[in-house]
Amino acid sequence: MKFELTQRPRRLRTTNIIRGLVRETRLSADTLVYPFFVVEGVDIKEEIPTMPGQYRWSIDRLYELLNEILKSGIKSVLIFGIPNVKDEFGSSAWDKNGIVQKALRYIKKYFPDIYCITDVCMCEYTSHGHCGIICGDYVDNDKTLEVLAKTALSHAEAGADMIAPSDMMDGRIAAIRKALDNSGYINTPIMSYSVKYSSAFYGPFRDAADSAPAFGDRKSYQMDFHNSREAILEAELDISEGADILMVKPGMAYLDVLKEIKNKFNKPVALYSVSGEYSMIKAGAKLGYIDEMSIVGESTVCMYRAGADILITYYAMEIAKLIKEGKIG
Ligand code: PBG
């Protein structure tokens, strides 16, 4: 039988080489960011129970991780600190000798080629676990701006290459930009967690950082996951206040939001594939229900296809390997 088909999309799928020629999404380890946790203390490499394969590191053992990162081809990291003492105001967040500040000085001294982005938020530092200063049981927006700005500045002074505020207070980008500029850090970029939803996908992170709120939840500052037009408003505000890079978070379940932000704005867009996404894949793989690296590869490509310019993920090193081996990209 003879069919007169003029269009045969399968023609461009016949071999690996031709599929490589027409591929629409290209990946590079340059665009991956690896997040990790630093703790006070010595000789600590403690596995996070809900995030197998991820650890809390003391500064004296960080070189093990940093060497591994460099070997994998990753150039950028996102640093989270777990302090020894927490108080109502989160004052260890802007301490010159705070955990993030010490880690920054160490990395900049011994690993100057690693690009250090720091998460700026209060929840790891406050005794109540909220992302700001509490008044009654409400997180006070404008009081929090002051401590965020102080914290961001102290990170810059300790050597941070980029500041990433994740608190979701109104006006924080302007407050941080002003604090940085006033002290001469005009070239320190801000990657704003512009579109950060209140999400159960952060569960394992809160175990890792011991930062779950002691009362209530984060719904009065993080976004409601029913909304996407509000995401555009948040991104617009951040751009008007001076954000250099916009972030959408979480990743996989929020790719519609990512695409919208990417199409609307002329700023690089980062996607944070968060702890819960990592842990779900780990758990499924451990049970033998899914093939871990195939799922990681596929979901990573999908996140870039949807518009991510930068991907922040606990799987960054494994992804770099998949790219190197030609399994994705
Ligand atoms: C701090 C912060 C959180 C995450 C990044 N920065 C936790 C939260 O908002 O509760 C989550 C990251 C992850 O789940 O991997 N505010």
Side-chain angles (χ1 to χ4, degrees), residues 80 119 121 123-124 131 166 193 196 201-202 205-206 218 222 249 272 274-275 314:
F80 292 95
D119 182 272
C121 191
C123 61
E124 297 104 300
C131 302
S166 70
Y193 286 68
K196 179 175 177 181
F201 284 101
Y202 310 149
F205 174 98
R206 290 179 190 170
R218 303 210 200 292
Q222 298 180 347
K249 179 187 171 197
Y272 195 152
V274 300
S275 56
Y314 303 95

Side-chain angles (χ1 to χ4, degrees), residues 27 252 255 273 276-286 288-305 311 313 315 318-319 322 327-328:
L27 274 56
M252 247 203 301
L255 297 187
S273 179
E277 300 173 52
Y278 174 87
S279 300
M280 287 196 304
I281 297 176
K282 278 283 169 198
K286 193 172 166 195
Y289 293 170
I290 51 169
D291 179 67
E292 183 178 17
M293 281 310 127
S294 304
I295 296 276
V296 168
E298 181 178 333
S299 49
T300 298
V301 170
C302 294
M303 292 188 254
Y304 281 105
R305 191 195 61 221
L311 181 63
T313 166
Y315 272 121
E318 287 85 347
I319 294 167
L322 291 174
K327 300 228 168 81
I328 51 171

